[in-house]
């Protein structure tokens, strides 16, 4: 250790007894002989050592740390100065002791009051520690948007850094409150109970977002037993109840507990607890807001997701949708199947493509799907339905257009009759049993772009084992292949369909999507939607027919 301030020997020729300038020093100074007797003490020493008089024993006036240091110095031959800083308490003050050894062996002890500096350092250390805790609280709590997990972490960190135990009380749900109990060294426990929040002073107010009740106003004896975590070493000695402020709505309240054997909460700790609660409340509020928004989004998303298709009135249907971005679930392509009220009624199949991508296009698809659902009673006339839809889109605030293909499907004996109408969309492709792939001779204008829609409807039939495929341009305009930027094209699609002769509808859909995905090789693409309509092969066993077999995981309904 470096020598302490003022520890050098006296100047040559100046003895401790003849040099009296120390008597006027602003620091307490003691002159002690080699036998441990006090020779003199200056005026600054008398307030801290009122009994310091000439001839008294040093160890009777000062703490052991200083008396032992003096003894260590004088026992060396020759007497020498200690080389490490000497620090300790004298009364309620903290001092640094700096010795100066005289030629006659007397030791002059300069006592420098270091209390204020030490308190400042302690306060600065506490501020730094609390800042680190608050930073850790924010980063840790905001890293999760799961409300129960956020409550668990908040209670655990409160018990670790603020108290022996913590109880996080969430806003009541009816008559019950979600509670999270945390205790140092024990697992966090979460439960929901019916409790009397009015039994805890300040808790009802905290749950309503009112300012906290000062800890000194709370009598620990008034705390009910339900607040105590299991294993808490009571009785309670000190309590803090702090509100958890949220974004306009209180996020709950935090109860901090210390046993009677621990130090009571100080005013500074109470302020720190409120800062902690503010960070925890903000995180909980953000997690709850995210949960609510996610729930709303999931609810609204249900009507935008493509439906699961199955066998209806003796006709097989299968569909597949792939958004342009892997992280999206909906987009501008869509399809629907609206079953007829009975086997003699037509089932309406709709497949469409709205201009654009992402959520905005998905909202437009939702509007189109809902409008078409309302127009089902008029589905016998495809052109009329398309014109009514066109009028609805032209009066919408969305400046988007769409292409559509409609298919009215009805089974007659072992064959399936189709009425097909395209409105600016690629015509459906029909896979015959001999391997031929026909393009339906239907065409029409866009929906939502012109004052009226002109469309041509064609009729055709599917023999058992034949399939009609509806698809969007995301399939044919998929870019990839050996040159990376080459379009998949209609001819490749037709060749792929020629290999799907007499395949079930689901197998055809999977085959088309697989080939398109392989062509992309991970490149960018538009939304892809495919719907297959198949006439079941004669005698083909299906779950719907009650004969077993069929593809697992696909729900089917009987005629």
């Amino acid at each position: 250790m470096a020598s302490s301030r003022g520890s050098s020997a006296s100047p040559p020729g100046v003895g401790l007894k003849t040099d009296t300038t120390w008597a006027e020093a602003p620091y307490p100074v003691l002159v002690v002989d080699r036998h441990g007797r006090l020779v003199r003490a200056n005026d600054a020493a008398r307030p801290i050592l009122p009994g310091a008089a000439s001839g008294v024993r040093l160890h009777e006036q000062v703490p052991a740390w200083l008396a032992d240091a003096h003894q260590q110095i004088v026992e060396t031959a020759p007497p020498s100065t200690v080389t490490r800083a000497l620090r300790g308490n004298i009364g309620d003050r903290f001092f640094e002791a700096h010795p100066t050894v005289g030629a006659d062996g007397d030791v002059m002890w300069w006592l420098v009051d270091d209390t204020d500096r030490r308190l400042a350092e302690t306060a600065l250390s506490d501020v730094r520690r609390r800042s680190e805790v608050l930073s850790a609280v924010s980063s840790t709590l905001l890293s999760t948007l799961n409300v129960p997990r956020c409550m668990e972490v908040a209670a655990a960190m409160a018990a670790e850094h603020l108290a022996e135990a913590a109880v996080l009380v969430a806003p009541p749900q009816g008559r019950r409150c979600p509670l999270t109990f945390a205790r140092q060294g024990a697992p966090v426990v979460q439960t929901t109970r019916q409790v009397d929040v009015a039994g805890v002073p300040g808790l009802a107010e905290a749950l309503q977002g009112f300012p906290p009740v000062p800890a000194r106003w709370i009598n620990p004896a008034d705390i009910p037993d339900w607040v105590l975590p299991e294993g808490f070493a009571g009785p309670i000695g000190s309590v803090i109840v702090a509100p958890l402020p949220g974004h306009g709505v209180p996020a709950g309240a935090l109860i901090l507990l210390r046993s009677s054997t621990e130090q009571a909460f100080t005013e500074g700790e109470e302020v720190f607890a409120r800062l902690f609660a503010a960070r925890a409340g903000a995180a909980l509020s953000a997690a709850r807001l995210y949960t609510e928004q996610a729930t709303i989004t999931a609810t609204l998303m249900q009507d935008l997701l493509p439906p699961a298709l199955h066998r209806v009135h003796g006709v097989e249907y299968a569909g597949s949708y792939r958004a342009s971005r892997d992280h999206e679930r909906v987009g501008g392509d869509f399809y629907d199947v609206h079953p007829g009220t009975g086997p003699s009624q037509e089932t309406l199949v709709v497949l469409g493509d709205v201009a654009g991508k992402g959520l905005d296009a998905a909202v437009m698809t939702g509007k189109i799907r809902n409008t078409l659902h309302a127009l089902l009673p008029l589905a016998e006339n495809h052109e009329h339905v398309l014109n009514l839809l066109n009028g609805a889109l032209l009066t919408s605030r969305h400046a988007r257009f769409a292409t559509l293909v409609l298919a009215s499907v009805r089974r007659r004996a072992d064959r399936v009759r189709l009425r097909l109408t395209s409105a600016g969309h690629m015509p459906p492709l029909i896979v015959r049993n001999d391997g031929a792939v026909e393009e339906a001779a239907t065409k029409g204008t866009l929906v939502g772009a012109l004052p009226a829609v002109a469309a041509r409807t064609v009729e055709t039939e599917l023999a058992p084992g034949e399939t009609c495929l509806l698809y969007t341009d995301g399939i044919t305009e998929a870019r990839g292949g050996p040159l990376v930027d080459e379009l998949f094209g209609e001819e490749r699609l037709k060749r792929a369909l020629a290999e799907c002769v007499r395949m079930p509808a689901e197998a055809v859909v999977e085959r088309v999507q697989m080939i398109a995905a392989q062509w992309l090789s991970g490149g960018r693409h538009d939304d892809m939607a495919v719907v297959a309509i198949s006439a079941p092969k004669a005698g083909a066993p299906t779950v719907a027919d009650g004969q077993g077999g069929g593809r697992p995981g696909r729900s089917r309904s009987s005629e």
Side-chain angles (χ1 to χ4, degrees):
M1 299 288 292
S3 298
S4 300
R5 181 172 63 247
S7 61
S8 58
S10 300
V14 180
L16 292 179
K17 294 182 180 180
T18 60
D19 182 7
T20 58
T21 57
W22 59 271
E24 300 175 359
Y27 303 115
V29 180
L30 304 176
V31 180
V32 186
D33 65 17
R34 65 175 60 249
H35 303 294
R37 290 187 177 87
L38 188 63
V39 177
R40 289 191 63 182
N42 69 349
D43 292 339
R46 300 192 185 283
I48 63 170
L49 297 172
S54 180
V56 300
R57 306 291 296 184
L58 180 65
H59 68 82
E60 296 174 356
Q61 298 296 317
V62 300
W65 66 271
L66 184 55
D68 293 343
H70 180 80
Q71 189 69 24
Q72 178 184 356
I73 291 174
V74 300
E75 286 181 353
T76 60
S80 62
T81 302
V82 294
T83 58
R84 60 182 178 84
L86 298 174
R87 297 183 179 90
N89 286 88
I90 300 178
D92 59 351
R93 308 293 291 178
F94 187 83
F95 289 87
E96 284 188 357
H98 303 279
T100 301
V101 181
D104 55 1
D106 290 350
V107 180
M108 179 181 293
W109 287 98
W110 300 76
L111 303 179
V112 180
D113 192 336
D114 201 39
T115 306
D116 293 339
R117 184 184 66 83
R118 185 179 179 86
L119 290 175
E121 288 180 348
T122 302
L124 179 59
S125 177
D126 288 344
V127 169
R128 287 175 176 172
R129 181 186 65 82
R130 291 173 180 178
S131 296
E132 291 173 356
V133 170
L134 292 177
S135 177
V137 168
S138 296
S139 60
T140 303
L141 293 181
L142 291 175
S143 65
T144 175
L145 293 175
N146 180 279
V147 175
R149 175 59 180 164
C150 194
M151 294 172 62
E152 177 183 347
V153 173
M157 296 188 74
E160 178 183 357
H161 298 290
L162 302 177
E164 288 182 81
V167 183
L168 196 153
V169 184
Q173 299 176 355
R175 296 184 178 181
R176 301 171 69 84
C177 285
L179 305 174
T180 304
F181 296 90
R183 184 170 56 85
Q184 289 183 0
V188 176
V189 176
Q190 292 185 305
T191 184
T192 301
R193 299 179 189 169
Q194 185 173 345
V195 296
D196 181 16
V197 296
V200 181
L203 179 57
E205 294 80 1
L207 287 172
Q208 297 178 38
F210 290 107
V213 174
R216 63 182 181 276
W217 292 4
I218 301 177
N219 182 2
D222 295 337
I223 302 300
D225 291 340
W226 68 261
V227 177
L228 302 181
E230 185 177 354
F232 180 78
I236 302 174
S238 188
V239 182
I240 290 178
V241 178
L244 299 173
H247 299 299
V249 179
L254 183 65
I255 304 174
L256 303 176
L257 305 172
R258 282 182 179 173
S259 67
S260 57
T261 59
E262 292 292 322
Q263 182 180 1
F265 291 109
T266 65
E267 185 177 347
E269 288 175 326
E270 192 169 356
V271 172
F272 178 52
R274 295 175 189 173
L275 294 174
F276 179 98
R279 302 288 181 96
L284 276 169
S285 183
R288 287 198 177 99
L289 180 61
Y290 172 81
T291 300
E292 291 175 2
Q293 291 178 340
T295 302
I296 293 172
T297 301
T299 301
L300 297 176
M301 187 75 73
Q302 292 303 315
D303 289 335
L304 298 178
L305 294 174
L309 303 187
H310 48 77
R311 179 170 173 151
V312 178
H313 302 324
V315 181
E316 290 184 358
Y317 299 91
S320 175
Y321 173 77
R322 179 179 178 182
S324 59
R325 298 180 179 88
D326 291 338
H327 64 277
E328 294 179 345
R329 301 177 63 192
V330 295
D333 289 7
F334 67 95
Y335 58 82
D336 270 315
V337 172
H338 302 283
T341 56
S344 62
Q345 301 297 315
E346 289 182 327
T347 293
L348 180 65
V349 181
V350 182
L351 181 137
D353 183 357
V354 172
K357 302 177 183 178
L359 186 58
D360 289 341
V363 172
M364 189 63 172
T365 67
K367 180 179 179 66
I368 293 175
R369 293 170 69 183
N370 290 335
T371 303
L372 288 173
H373 191 272
L375 295 175
L376 285 178
L378 308 176
E380 289 185 2
N381 188 330
H382 287 181
E383 187 171 357
H384 184 46
V385 169
L386 291 172
N387 274 287
L388 291 174
L389 175 62
N390 185 68
L393 296 185
L394 289 176
T395 59
S396 171
R397 65 181 181 85
H398 299 280
R400 293 178 182 271
F401 59 86
T403 65
L404 290 172
V405 60
L406 306 181
S408 291
V409 185
R410 179 187 300 166
R411 181 170 177 175
R412 284 291 179 265
D414 61 346
R415 304 179 74 83
V416 173
R417 293 183 179 180
L418 300 175
R419 290 192 301 115
L420 303 171
T421 305
S422 172
H425 203 85
M426 289 80 64
L429 298 177
I430 300 171
V431 184
R432 299 300 185 184
N433 286 329
D434 61 359
V437 178
E438 301 176 1
E439 186 176 284
T442 177
K443 61 181 179 178
T445 56
L446 300 171
V447 178
L450 301 173
V453 175
R456 176 186 178 187
T457 300
V458 298
E459 297 186 6
T460 187
E461 285 189 348
L462 300 179
E466 295 182 340
T467 298
C468 176
L469 185 77
L470 316 181
Y471 62 97
T472 60
D473 59 9
I475 299 293
T476 54
E477 295 180 3
R479 291 187 176 273
L483 301 179
V484 180
D485 198 38
E486 187 178 357
L487 293 177
F488 184 70
E490 293 183 9
E491 292 304 317
R492 287 190 179 85
L493 176 59
K494 291 179 179 180
R495 289 199 295 270
L497 289 175
E499 300 172 357
C500 299
V501 175
R502 302 183 68 81
M503 283 187 179
E506 186 173 355
V508 174
V509 167
E510 290 182 356
R511 176 68 175 168
V512 170
Q513 285 283 25
M514 181 186 69
I515 292 177
Q518 291 175 344
W519 182 261
L520 286 169
S521 300
R524 298 182 61 182
H525 60 89
D526 199 353
D527 297 333
M528 298 180 178
V530 181
V531 172
I533 307 167
S534 295
K537 291 180 289 187
T542 64
V543 174
D545 295 332
Q547 300 175 10
R551 189 176 183 85
R554 174 67 65 178
S555 60
R556 299 181 184 274
S557 62
S558 60
E559 297 184 35

